[in-house]
Amino acid sequence: MATHHEQGIELAKLGQQRAQDPHLRALAALMVASQQGENRIFDRWWRGWFSEPMALCSSEERAAMPGYLTPAQMADARNAADGEFDAVFVRLMSLHHAGAVQMADNQWHSSGDPRLRLMAHAIRHEQQGEIALMNNVTGIEAVRQATRNMLANNL
């Protein structure tokens, strides 16, 4: 998840800088902060459990990660015209987040370390909420989706 978050941070920083919609720009800033914080937690846990540094993911592992964007997709985000950037960002970040939700859902339903399972549950709920916000889900529908998302993987 740390590698997946690194790419999410890269994309969210683009959103923070380039989004035309101020709400989307603010949401992108929140994404940067939350994923950087989660990666710090992962790093501290890893260092507490193992003496060697966390291994980097291979290109094959990255390609197999759900929602991990291709170099061409990242280039699409970097090269999007100003008037098109918001739509490109929402499309790509929604895809990226959906992959993170899938990975987190797998961990949540595993018999693994309880700390990782709880973190996975928080990540899946957080990223499902961000997908809803990017797609302008508001009001009672936002509450309904959030409630369903706490209990199941609903994208």
Side-chain angles (χ1 to χ4, degrees):
M1 186 61 81
T3 297
H4 200 272
H5 270 11
E6 287 172 10
Q7 186 184 61
I9 292 165
E10 180 183 350
L11 183 57
K13 284 182 177 181
L14 283 174
Q16 196 176 8
Q17 296 162 358
R18 298 202 48 216
Q20 301 296 305
D21 180 337
H23 296 290
L24 189 57
R25 215 172 27 253
L27 181 58
L30 177 65
M31 291 174 189
V32 170
S34 64
Q35 290 188 32
Q36 284 177 335
E38 289 161 0
N39 271 357
R40 281 194 297 276
I41 291 168
F42 290 140
D43 182 62
R44 286 186 183 138
W45 283 350
W46 183 272
R47 286 186 285 129
W49 296 335
F50 305 103
S51 58
E52 68 276 351
M54 192 182 308
L56 298 175
C57 289
S58 69
S59 57
E60 293 81 15
E61 290 170 317
R62 290 171 194 231
M65 270 185 218
Y68 195 85
L69 302 175
T70 66
Q73 288 170 312
M74 289 299 291
D76 286 347
R78 282 190 293 278
N79 299 327
D82 288 343
E84 298 172 1
F85 179 81
D86 288 13
V88 170
F89 176 81
V90 168
R91 178 176 54 80
L92 292 176
M93 188 59 86
S94 293
L95 176 67
H96 190 267
H97 273 13
V101 169
Q102 182 182 343
M103 289 189 298
D105 195 56
N106 290 339
Q107 179 63 36
W108 168 242
H109 290 104
S110 77
S111 59
D113 186 289
R115 292 166 289 188
L116 291 175
R117 292 180 66 225
L118 286 172
M119 179 70 124
H121 183 64
I123 288 170
R124 65 194 284 279
H125 185 64
E126 165 196 18
Q127 297 210 354
Q128 287 170 324
E130 289 172 354
I131 291 169
L133 287 170
M134 285 188 291
N135 289 285
N136 299 313
V137 177
T138 60
I140 193 67
E141 182 54 29
V143 174
R144 282 188 194 111
Q145 282 188 22
T147 303
R148 283 193 313 265
N149 291 342
M150 282 191 297
L151 305 172
N153 185 20
N154 295 306
L155 286 173

